[in-house]
Amino acid sequence: MSNLKEEYDKIIEQRKKILEEMKPLGENEIVKRYMELTEQNESLFNQQLSLYKELKMEKYASCDHILVYSQIDYDRYEGRTYKSCGCIKCGLDNSVLNGDREWLSGSRQIMYDYLRKNRIYNKGIASEVLCDLDLAQAIYSKIKQAHPDIDDETARKYFEIALDDIRNIKVSDDRKASRAKRLSLKDNFKRWNSGDVCSN
Ligand SMILES: [Zn+2]
């Protein structure tokens, strides 16, 4: 206990010294300008974040989704299967609802908030395909690059054909790595098959 108290007092002493040293610096014009700019930068950053959130929400709301099954979970205790859907166009993925919001990254928290209010099934086409969503989005963006004016139904067909080819044509691990690169996926991408999105 006394050790803790000693340490506590030492820290107070150290901070006092630091604050004393900081005081004259705060009067310096260059330092003042630096503080001003830091403040402006923080305020702009906050505006940027909130606009980013609005932009994402708008993108999700205006997308006519093409959905695939992005994750299949089997609950042993309930004996039930839960299917999550994701959109190969905008990336909206309702598997984010399976866990705690606070464990998600910032952009997945935006999806979470959007999906709490809006259902993913409301608009668009549902494909029965099971596919990792990063892979599905990568294939879709290649199709869109080659055919910018493609309609959704045709895009869905092309997507399913491209995915079938990927899954049915046996290639070496090296070729898989270069294929991942071509699709702008990570070199070590492994989730090529439908079984890869199933929890069991
Ligand atoms: Zn979408």
Side-chain angles (χ1 to χ4, degrees):
M1 197 64 175
S2 65
N3 268 351
L4 281 180
K5 178 78 174 90
E6 234 170 69
E7 209 168 313
Y8 182 82
D9 290 343
K10 218 161 88 189
I11 285 175
I12 288 187
E13 203 49 45
Q14 280 174 333
R15 286 198 54 227
K16 215 193 229 166
K17 274 189 200 146
I18 287 175
L19 288 171
E20 267 166 29
E21 211 178 320
M22 280 171 72
K23 217 172 174 183
L25 288 177
E27 304 303 317
N28 181 297
E29 288 308 315
I30 293 175
V31 176
K32 268 194 205 164
R33 183 67 185 141
Y34 180 83
M35 302 293 276
E36 264 171 35
L37 289 174
T38 304
E39 213 171 287
Q40 285 174 21
N41 183 42
E42 268 169 26
S43 138
L44 283 172
F45 179 67
N46 287 333
Q47 288 177 46
Q48 185 190 338
L49 272 188
S50 87
L51 278 177
Y52 177 79
K53 185 169 180 171
E54 278 179 52
L55 275 170
K56 282 281 180 189
M57 294 273 193
E58 204 176 81
K59 181 178 166 193
Y60 298 146
S62 64
C63 179
D64 288 316
H65 308 304
I66 300 179
L67 299 174
V68 296
Y69 289 121
S70 59
Q71 196 179 313
I72 307 278
D73 290 302
Y74 178 68
D75 189 316
R76 252 176 248 264
Y77 299 102
E78 293 181 31
R80 279 181 60 186
T81 301
Y82 293 92
K83 293 178 177 178
S84 302
C85 284
C87 173
I88 72 176
K89 292 167 71 182
C90 69
L92 188 63
D93 184 2
N94 75 357
S95 72
V96 295
L97 297 175
N98 298 348
D100 278 338
R101 185 185 184 279
E102 56 208 276
W103 291 98
L104 299 169
S105 68
S107 53
R108 290 181 78 78
Q109 283 186 354
I110 298 174
M111 280 189 200
Y112 184 99
D113 295 343
Y114 179 84
L115 286 166
R116 277 269 164 237
K117 291 187 205 131
N118 306 279
R119 302 198 72 86
I120 195 169
Y121 306 98
N122 279 359
K123 272 198 304 177
I125 309 169
S127 160
E128 293 291 303
V129 166
L130 268 72
C131 184
D132 175 88
L133 200 56
D134 287 337
L135 173 59
Q137 278 190 277
I139 296 171
Y140 175 77
S141 83
K142 287 280 171 205
I143 294 169
K144 195 74 184 155
Q145 250 172 42
H147 313 278
D149 299 320
I150 197 166
D151 67 274
D152 282 352
E153 188 49 45
T154 314
R156 180 191 65 81
K157 276 184 206 144
Y158 283 11
F159 160 73
E160 289 183 8
I161 292 166
L163 186 65
D164 268 351
D165 282 349
I166 285 177
R167 286 178 173 169
N168 294 333
I169 301 167
K170 290 251 173 291
V171 295
S172 65
D173 284 350
D174 279 357
R175 291 278 300 279
K176 278 184 189 166
S178 64
R179 185 170 64 195
K181 209 171 191 172
R182 270 204 311 283
L183 286 165
S184 311
L185 295 164
K186 288 186 189 122
D187 282 1
N188 59 355
F189 183 81
K190 296 258 188 305
R191 293 162 61 85
W192 300 105
N193 295 307
S194 58
D196 299 329
V197 299
C198 301
S199 66
N200 285 296

